[in-house]
Amino acid sequence: MAATATRTLRNFVNGEYVEPTSGRYSDVVNPANGEVYAQAPISDEQDVDRAYKAAADAFVEWRDATPAERQLALLRFADAIESRAEEFVNAEVENTGKPRALTASEEIPPMVDQLRFFAGAARVLEGRSAGEYMRGMTSFVRREPIGVVGQVTPWNYPLLMATWKIGPALAAGNCVVLKPSDTTPVSTLLMAEVAAEFFPPGVFNVICGDRDTGRALVSRPTPQLVAITGSVRAGMEVASAASSDLKRVHLELGGKAPVIIFDDADIALAAETIAVGGYFNAGQDCTAATRVIASPKVYADIVDALAEQAKATKTGQPDDEDILFGPLNNASQYERVAAMVDAAPGHAHLAAGGHRIAGPGFFYEPTVISDLRQDDDMIQNEIFGPVITVQPFSDEDEAVKWANGVQYGLASSVWTSNHGRAMRVARRLDFGCVWINTHIPLVAEMPHGGFKHSGYGKDLSMYGFEDYTRIKHVMSNLDA
């Protein structure tokens, strides 16, 4: 596709926009119409080093800022985003093709709230209380920022994922170099521009680029921690590269959330909630409710109910107020989703959808595929699109076995009116989050993060500070 860019983007380093040293750029495509609307830098090692130097220089000042000073900067930053919400919505919609109304109501408010949470948390970080554990000596523990952090964010939630990354990092006193996805850089650059009004230069830097830029971000010696939200493949590459320099790694990777429905569940509520949790953001969510495992007594009912929900769910252009989701983010993901559905095994049944939507942009129908088996590819691997699968189980043990029988361990849900069974199954599920009779709500106060190939480390909550701080023991001789 020939470039028809209306503007050229730049990196944001040390409080200002700067050109990439290589002079190379890539097309940025609006997924709602398939048109190129900008050119983004392809940063190289020199750009990465420049950003890391700015962050390292800024850390000397920022680490000594008091918790109250860091809190105030974060609160002012959150207020500025809130007051400029329309500008951020416009940038995010252009980035992603998401529904404008839902972006304004479901993404900007949580982003602002999460920044305010981390602002408050900055003032209550603490170590263990002082005490005499050896005669004549007093010990205490300091919780300190670790230094410069390299971060990589994905294209499914550019603003929210950047918030999850920079919130605890900046609140704890670290400085950041962040690389957004090459398909969605616009809103993150705006975020850095606004942040520069409240943070010292170099505290928060954004560089654009491709996979090679990401590799440079990980391999350079400066960062003490590399944090990524992305695919399992990307997480493995990051962990491998970071190990050569003993960098700390924070990984929030893929998911394949099981939704276990027992025969005493509220089927209507479950179907409605699953449809929203499975199709929101075109299913491009690691916690999406896309893998339903149902009791044989209600299996046919849940398939029918989900099919009706799919047929009633609308997708379309961002300004259409009646849609639940927009396009898939990019051509590559569009092809992947279509290919996985087209490769459904012969025993599977297409209950709803299953086709591309003609016209501009990367739109795909809300889809339900039933009668799947545990070893099928679309059960075992993340589709990351508006596709809900359904498979039956015979009893509680098999339900848990099927749920746990994938490489992922991020999120899950259990649907039953039996409290004891709900708590029993929640204990047995090998996932970082278990919802009961709901799916997908998140709050700033509770941790988010997975097990197994879904990664390690927690976003949100006070647990989100564990990777962004270090613990130091200080012992003082009372007789000296």
Side-chain angles (χ1 to χ4, degrees):
M1 181 182 295
T4 57
T6 58
R7 62 190 185 277
T8 299
L9 308 177
R10 294 178 292 170
N11 293 328
F12 197 88
V13 176
N14 207 30
E16 61 182 2
Y17 283 110
V18 296
E19 305 289 345
T21 57
S22 68
R24 295 191 301 131
Y25 294 84
S26 63
D27 292 342
V28 184
V29 176
N30 184 329
N33 55 31
E35 295 179 0
V36 175
Y37 67 91
Q39 297 274 300
I42 302 177
S43 301
D44 59 20
E45 287 189 354
Q46 293 182 63
D47 299 301
V48 174
D49 285 341
R50 176 166 59 180
Y52 273 143
K53 183 181 186 304
D57 291 344
F59 180 63
V60 175
E61 175 185 351
W62 187 242
R63 69 182 174 192
D64 291 333
T66 66
E69 290 168 339
R70 295 198 294 268
Q71 179 196 43
L72 184 59
L74 282 162
L75 288 175
R76 287 174 171 170
F77 181 33
D79 289 347
I81 292 172
E82 188 173 53
S83 67
R84 297 173 63 172
E86 184 176 0
E87 192 175 349
F88 277 94
V89 169
N90 291 338
E92 195 74 331
V93 168
E94 192 173 39
N95 259 339
T96 64
K98 296 182 182 188
R100 187 177 302 278
L102 284 176
T103 302
S105 65
E106 303 300 324
E107 295 197 29
I108 302 301
M111 173 187 175
V112 171
D113 177 68
Q114 289 155 11
L115 285 173
R116 288 172 176 157
F117 169 81
F118 288 120
R123 298 187 72 163
V124 295
L125 288 176
E126 59 184 23
R128 191 173 179 178
S129 62
E132 288 69 48
Y133 304 98
M134 179 182 290
R135 291 185 182 278
M137 303 287 179
T138 293
S139 289
F140 63 93
V141 171
R142 293 177 54 87
R143 183 179 291 273
E144 301 177 339
I146 61 171
V148 175
V149 176
Q151 300 178 328
V152 180
T153 52
W155 43 254
N156 59 334
Y157 292 102
L159 283 173
L160 272 173
M161 295 301 97
T163 299
W164 289 17
K165 291 289 179 283
I166 69 170
L170 301 184
N174 302 290
C175 293
V176 168
V177 176
L178 186 150
K179 189 194 88 67
S181 169
D182 56 347
T183 68
T184 56
V186 174
S187 58
T188 311
L189 287 169
L190 175 61
M191 196 179 190
E193 178 185 321
V194 173
E197 300 176 30
F198 312 105
F199 297 92
V203 169
F204 177 30
N205 310 274
V206 173
I207 59 169
C208 303
D210 55 15
R211 289 183 179 180
D212 288 337
T213 309
R215 293 186 183 100
L217 196 78
V218 176
S219 64
R220 308 312 288 167
T222 301
Q224 298 299 301
L225 167 72
V226 177
I228 175 176
T229 296
S231 68
V232 174
R233 173 201 53 77
M236 288 180 171
E237 289 183 3
V238 167
S240 178
S243 67
S244 65
D245 201 27
L246 295 179
K247 292 184 179 72
R248 296 166 71 170
V249 179
H250 174 109
L251 303 175
E252 200 273 273
L253 309 177
K256 192 70 179 175
V259 182
I260 302 177
I261 303 179
F262 289 96
D263 52 23
D264 59 349
D266 183 330
I267 299 302
L269 175 64
E272 182 180 357
T273 306
I274 292 164
V276 173
Y279 296 137
F280 188 85
N281 200 32
Q284 299 170 128
D285 189 315
C286 296
T287 63
T290 57
R291 183 166 64 104
V292 176
I293 306 171
S295 163
K297 291 184 179 180
V298 297
Y299 183 78
D301 291 338
I302 194 66
V303 171
D304 289 344
L306 287 172
E308 289 303 313
Q309 288 288 333
K311 293 170 185 176
T313 299
K314 296 181 180 180
T315 180
Q317 292 294 322
D319 289 329
D320 186 340
E321 295 186 359
D322 294 328
I323 63 172
L324 176 65
F325 67 92
L328 293 163
N329 180 261
N330 54 75
S332 176
Q333 186 61 22
Y334 188 47
E335 294 300 327
R336 171 181 167 79
V337 171
M340 290 191 75
V341 173
D342 291 345
H347 54 261
H349 171 65
L350 184 63
H355 303 95
R356 303 169 191 250
I357 296 176
F362 309 129
F363 292 91
Y364 199 86
E365 290 181 328
T367 298
V368 177
I369 300 177
S370 63
D371 300 344
L372 287 159
R373 300 171 185 168
Q374 184 65 15
D375 58 355
D376 288 334
D377 182 56
M378 59 176 57
I379 293 295
Q380 291 295 317
N381 294 300
E382 193 170 33
I383 302 174
F384 223 57
V387 180
I388 294 174
T389 65
V390 195
Q391 62 186 122
F393 67 80
S394 58
D395 56 28
E396 181 179 311
D397 286 341
E398 186 173 70
V400 173
K401 180 182 178 181
W402 287 166
N404 289 338
V406 295
Q407 64 177 328
Y408 307 97
L410 185 58
S412 58
S413 64
V414 181
W415 295 78
T416 178
S417 60
N418 185 318
H419 175 75
R421 175 160 57 193
M423 298 304 292
R424 185 171 61 246
V425 172
R427 180 179 62 83
R428 298 175 66 189
L429 285 172
D430 197 13
F431 294 83
C433 175
V434 180
W435 289 290
I436 297 174
N437 294 326
T438 188
H439 195 104
I440 228 165
L442 295 171
V443 292
E445 293 85 353
M446 289 291 107
H448 177 84
F451 307 145
K452 301 189 292 189
H453 280 197
S454 289
Y456 41 80
K458 298 297 182 184
D459 290 313
L460 301 178
S461 81
M462 296 303 294
Y463 294 99
F465 286 95
E466 294 302 315
D467 285 335
Y468 293 101
T469 56
R470 64 184 187 182
I471 298 300
K472 178 187 291 181
H473 167 221
V474 179
M475 179 180 280
S476 178
N477 186 344
L478 299 179
D479 297 325

